Amino acid sequence: MPAVGIIKEVTCVISGVLLVFNIDNPLTKLCPAKTTITVTSGTSKSTSTSRSSSHSTSFSTSRSTSKSSSRSTSTSTIFVGSSTSIVVPGSTLTVPTTSSSVPLTTSTSASSPSSSSVVISTSTSVPSTSSVESTSSSEIPTTSSSIVSPSTSSSTSAATPTGYDAFNCPSDLPLSCSNTTAIADTCCFESPGGLILQTQFWDVSPATGPNNSWTIHGLWPDNCDGTYEQYCDPAREYTNLTQILQSYGRQDLVDYSLTYWASNSGPAETFWEHEFGKHGTCMSTFDTQCYPNYTPGAEVVDFFNRTISLFKDLPSYDWLAAAGIVPSTTVQYTLAQFENALAPHHGGNKPYVGCSGGQVDELWYYYYVQGSLQEGNYVPTAYGSSSCPASFWYYPKGYTAPTTTTSNPTASATATACSTASATPFVGKGYLNVYNAAGTKQGFVISTGKWLLSGTPATYRTSTTTGQGPFTLTTSKGLCAVQADSSLFCDASVTTGAQFYSDGSSLQYNSSDIFSATSTPSGTAQGTIFAGDSMAVDITLQWQTIC
């Protein structure tokens, strides 16, 4: 028989908020996981749980969050019978001195000698069956897009997670992109973007990052076939990533990114925002629903953690230097030299080597993943082919390449730097910019042939050496075609590309430079482009040569 004054209660976390119920309270059914505790009225009570592969959250008069491989969870002492405030980003729990009810339901009031009223101040939501006394809070860093809990998020991710726990995944899952049957749990199986790329820059002019290191471009999901999703959840295109990382006590990630995730144009944080908004929101295991006890911005921390940890495991500069390949203004290198120096460190798999204007500027390392992106095993693989010529320059950072170069004593080929001022339109590679009927530029064409107002334009290549036509257009997705409904479409499935012409600067099809769309897209929406003027909005597609 229990001692006098001993009361049994249930604790649980809902939407990141620690709640305590009398064991007889019917609201305990709301708890996804319960801990039954025994407490004496007027004394302290504390709970401590430990769980491998879970997010670590510490509640006290202030809140700190850490992530590690053990991911343990502990809850600080809460004194019943004294006024205590527990502050977390976006929520405040207050345990008043005198109260005997828990006002969390519209119809039920549970009382006990030690139960206390709970006042919640948060921008997240608890289940709709509860009534919450709410006040404003400024704990969550300001963002142009609200950070919301899984229960209120209107995510438009490429795949809707169904497993709801990216930190307790089975060990026998197949590698991403290699499953023979459908995998339902997309919190533990990255889909559809199961081919993961850790991408790196070598920026020469303007230079970014240390002179003896490549820098981070991003972490990208590819749909296992060369296609990819982008901008999958506008609600999570955050504009305060530094604040989010700092709110989790991860100034180390901010400091590292300022050095190694640098931008060659504009603030570094703007670059990070672009990368997370475009790519991070399309990764299924980073969806907010994959966090059992989600707190706002947790997926941002994991995105940075994983991007940086992979980058640290890929010291490209050191591997190249060990093979005698160092930046130079007098010696060119071959694609085979780069691939042979890097492949042994990536499971024998050659990374993609990217060049622009005869200079190397990018590396892409490919992986399949077993489990979630947060904690899964990354298995190196190879995909695609390089865009570099047989020999190219690996210039030191800060070097300004001349317009033309003389014959190199150690290379048979003579490199000529690209000059956009004198380049012939539609020869080589360039962007297709969209102009409206008034002659105002309104975005560009992306690699699938769709119209986008802002972001990153796609590189188009032509088959002409004169710029006259007929010629084909090719993107990273494949050849471009004009389909039966007159829509522009670029994809690896296209075997015969459409025949295009130019009138000097504008793209032509069927003797016309007029293309059209049903409407002008807005935000991150993509518009379908049609050949001819059959749709409501007339546009032209004008060439911009790039090096």
Side-chain angles (χ1 to χ4, degrees), residues 253-459:
L253 295 178
V254 176
D255 294 340
Y256 191 90
S257 298
L258 287 172
T259 300
Y260 293 99
W261 201 341
S263 171
N264 66 353
S265 61
E269 184 169 20
T270 301
F271 183 27
W272 310 338
E273 291 164 358
H274 165 77
E275 288 299 307
F276 180 79
K278 181 176 181 179
H279 302 293
T281 61
C282 296
M283 296 176 172
S284 68
T285 71
F286 285 151
D287 194 285
T288 58
Q289 295 182 79
C290 295
Y291 292 76
N293 298 311
Y294 177 70
T295 53
E299 77 278 24
V300 172
V301 181
D302 287 335
F303 177 76
F304 272 72
N305 255 335
R306 181 52 66 190
T307 303
I308 289 173
S309 65
L310 285 177
F311 175 74
K312 288 180 176 179
D313 289 339
L314 299 167
S316 303
Y317 184 94
D318 295 341
W319 292 340
L320 291 168
I325 303 172
V326 294
S328 173
T329 61
T330 60
V331 178
Q332 284 185 311
Y333 299 102
T334 66
L335 176 61
Q337 286 176 300
F338 260 65
E339 291 177 337
N340 292 338
L342 299 174
H345 303 283
H346 194 54
N349 299 283
K350 299 175 182 178
Y352 167 88
V353 184
C355 288
S356 179
Q359 305 175 44
V360 65
D361 64 355
E362 194 148 18
L363 294 171
W364 299 356
Y365 293 90
Y366 291 87
Y367 294 89
Y368 295 129
V369 181
Q370 183 185 40
S372 67
L373 296 184
Q374 291 92 326
E375 297 192 336
N377 298 318
Y378 284 68
V379 179
T381 186
Y383 190 89
S385 58
S386 170
S387 65
C388 291
S391 59
F392 49 84
W393 295 103
Y394 180 27
Y395 285 128
K397 291 186 178 182
Y399 177 72
T400 302
T403 302
T404 58
T405 61
T406 57
S407 182
N408 190 292
T410 60
S412 59
T414 299
T416 302
C418 171
S419 174
T420 58
S422 59
T424 303
F426 292 97
V427 173
K429 59 184 180 179
Y431 300 143
L432 282 177
N433 294 319
V434 177
Y435 285 78
N436 63 18
T440 302
K441 181 182 174 182
Q442 289 193 302
F444 43 80
V445 187
I446 59 176
S447 57
T448 56
K450 296 294 183 68
W451 178 10
L452 191 64
L453 286 187
S454 62
T456 305
T459 299

Side-chain angles (χ1 to χ4, degrees), residues 225-247:
D225 58 4
T227 66
Y228 62 93
E229 313 299 324
Q230 60 180 358
Y231 302 109
C232 295
D233 190 354
R236 291 190 294 141
E237 290 179 25
Y238 306 136
T239 58
N240 63 329
L241 298 190
T242 295
Q243 287 179 293
I244 291 174
L245 294 173
Q246 290 172 337
S247 75

Side-chain angles (χ1 to χ4, degrees), residues 171-226:
S171 60
D172 58 350
L173 288 169
L175 287 176
S176 56
C177 299
S178 66
N179 55 307
T180 56
T181 58
I183 306 294
D185 186 355
T186 55
C187 286
C188 287
F189 185 81
E190 185 60 39
S191 176
L195 183 62
I196 303 301
L197 290 71
Q198 200 290 315
T199 56
Q200 303 181 8
F201 270 140
W202 182 258
D203 290 324
V204 173
S205 180
T208 60
N211 292 335
N212 62 347
S213 176
W214 289 61
T215 56
I216 297 171
H217 186 169
L219 188 69
W220 304 346
D222 186 290
N223 294 341
C224 308
D225 58 4

